[in-house]
Amino acid sequence: MIEQKLLVRLKEAQREHAISALQRPSTKDVFEYGHLVGVIAGYEMAINILLELVNEEKYGNKDL
C-alpha cells in the first residue's frame, strides 16, 4: 500500500530532522528554533493530511 510507505517515509524524515537538530551545537537563536519547530510541524501536518485522505477514501467524505 503506497499510503503506508509514504506515512513511514514521512515519519522517518521527521525523526531524522529532529535528531539532526538536537545534535547541532546549542547556539540556536529564536529564528532558528522557530524554523526547526516549523519544519517538524510541517511534517506532522503532512502526515495528518495523508491520514485524512486515506480515511476519506476508505470511508467516504462525510462533509458532502
Side-chain angles (χ1 to χ4, degrees):
M1 185 188 281
I2 190 74
E3 297 88 359
Q4 187 66 27
K5 288 181 182 180
L6 181 55
L7 180 61
V8 168
R9 293 292 288 269
L10 284 170
K11 282 292 193 181
E12 286 175 358
Q14 183 183 39
R15 181 184 52 81
E16 289 170 6
H17 183 76
I19 289 170
S20 171
L22 290 172
Q23 290 174 340
R24 291 190 207 134
S26 63
T27 59
K28 295 175 178 59
D29 60 1
V30 174
F31 175 80
E32 187 175 357
Y33 176 76
H35 173 75
L36 294 171
V37 169
V39 171
I40 299 296
Y43 278 116
E44 196 65 31
M45 183 184 292
I47 289 166
N48 289 334
I49 290 170
L50 173 63
L51 293 174
E52 286 176 19
L53 290 172
V54 168
N55 281 336
E56 283 179 12
E57 185 175 299
K58 189 174 183 179
Y59 301 111
N61 188 352
K62 296 183 182 186
D63 291 339
L64 295 177

